[in-house]
Amino acid sequence: MMQQYAIDIRALDFAYEAEQVLTGIELSVKLGEFLAIIGPNGGGKTTLLRLMLGILPKQSGSISINGLEPTQARRFIGYVPQCTTIRPDFPASVLDTVLMGGATSSLTGGKWDTSKKARQTAGDYLTTLGLAGVMHRPLHALSGGQRQRALVARALMSRVEDAPFTLLLDEPTSSIDPQGKFCFYDFLNKLRGLVTIVVVSHDLMLASPFFSSIAFVNNTLTRLPGGALTPELLISLYGSHQHLCPVADLQHAQGLSHSEGCTHPTCAPFAADSVQMADFFSSPSPKPETGAISAPYPH
């Protein structure tokens, strides 16, 4: 029996006029998978996402979302943008904002369901995402992490029950602090299996056990084995860190070696068993010093 894919991309090329952005992209994402797409700025990640959404027309190759062309599959796709500006005087509550995600177009303008069933569905999503206690508060009163979770709930409102659904997120944690990022992906993980999730980011800190797989995009696409970035993979993808910069200062402060050419006492001589830059990104955070505040992050 042929495996059904939520996303199936074959031989995809894309260029902006004379600038080739994506070349020979091959990507198959299984139903219910939690995929992270990483890569450097300008590598083509957001372009690939826009092609999946049907915002950009494909120039060659094929893209299938839940068995349909992107423009035909929009009712089966939820989208969370990189950031959303919220006016302080915007009168909608969190619940109202989520309900808007179920809007349908008509000749008289967009409208959305506010029935008891729709409100129950919105409430269920907000509960799953840890926002049940703030659903009646104004959206602008939420923290950055809470607001992004509310936007995830809004995106899910277009989901049709028992139908495949794909959730696409573009740099969703760009305005969230490091602790909040972990909490955000922890909440997303609760949706695993219910929907297919694709997160696009350049943030290496995203390497985590939440993802079922990771793809690296920089003009071409490389599917990485497993759901975690190993030191060896990071070095092969990005190379060793060979120059002094704030990252190097951070490495020195942590007592970590980062470059064979560095003359800092931490790095010279460069020991064969020293910890390299990639290890820093894939290692657990250091334990707080005695007396440091280590209270859990407030969801």
Side-chain angles (χ1 to χ4, degrees), residues 30-96:
K30 296 178 182 178
L31 290 168
E33 189 171 349
F34 192 171
L35 172 71
I37 297 179
I38 65 169
N41 286 332
K45 303 184 306 299
T46 296
T47 296
L48 180 58
L49 191 71
R50 289 173 177 169
L51 287 163
M52 293 182 196
L53 289 165
I55 296 174
L56 293 174
K58 69 177 187 295
Q59 297 170 347
S60 65
S62 64
I63 305 177
S64 171
I65 308 294
N66 298 324
L68 302 170
E69 288 285 327
T71 53
Q72 299 173 331
R74 286 173 178 165
R75 62 176 301 200
F76 303 110
I77 301 174
Y79 173 57
V80 179
Q82 180 172 349
C83 60
T84 302
T85 302
I86 305 296
R87 289 175 57 104
D89 57 349
F90 186 59
S93 67
V94 174
L95 179 59
D96 292 333

Side-chain angles (χ1 to χ4, degrees), residues 49-194:
L49 191 71
R50 289 173 177 169
L51 287 163
M52 293 182 196
L53 289 165
I55 296 174
L56 293 174
K58 69 177 187 295
Q59 297 170 347
S60 65
S62 64
I63 305 177
S64 171
I65 308 294
N66 298 324
L68 302 170
E69 288 285 327
T71 53
Q72 299 173 331
R74 286 173 178 165
R75 62 176 301 200
F76 303 110
I77 301 174
Y79 173 57
V80 179
Q82 180 172 349
C83 60
T84 302
T85 302
I86 305 296
R87 289 175 57 104
D89 57 349
F90 186 59
S93 67
V94 174
L95 179 59
D96 292 333
T97 302
V98 173
L99 288 170
M100 292 177 194
T104 56
S105 60
S106 68
L107 294 176
T108 57
K111 60 179 181 179
W112 52 89
D113 188 0
T114 58
S115 66
K116 181 179 179 180
K117 181 179 179 181
R119 295 172 72 86
Q120 179 63 50
T121 300
D124 289 344
Y125 284 136
L126 288 169
T127 298
T128 300
L129 293 167
L131 296 176
V134 298
M135 69 171 67
H136 298 297
R137 295 180 60 185
L139 183 64
H140 67 80
L142 302 188
S143 67
Q146 289 175 323
R147 190 177 304 163
Q148 285 299 87
R149 280 184 267 146
L151 295 180
V152 169
R154 183 182 69 171
L156 290 170
M157 282 301 293
S158 59
R159 176 175 173 262
V160 179
E161 191 173 356
D162 297 327
F165 190 82
T166 301
L167 182 62
L168 305 177
L169 304 97
D170 186 13
E171 304 280 4
T173 59
S174 59
S175 60
I176 304 176
D177 61 75
Q179 287 177 304
K181 289 181 181 181
F182 185 87
C183 291
F184 180 78
Y185 286 105
D186 184 30
F187 284 113
L188 273 187
N189 193 49
K190 293 179 171 59
L191 302 172
R192 183 196 286 261
L194 181 67

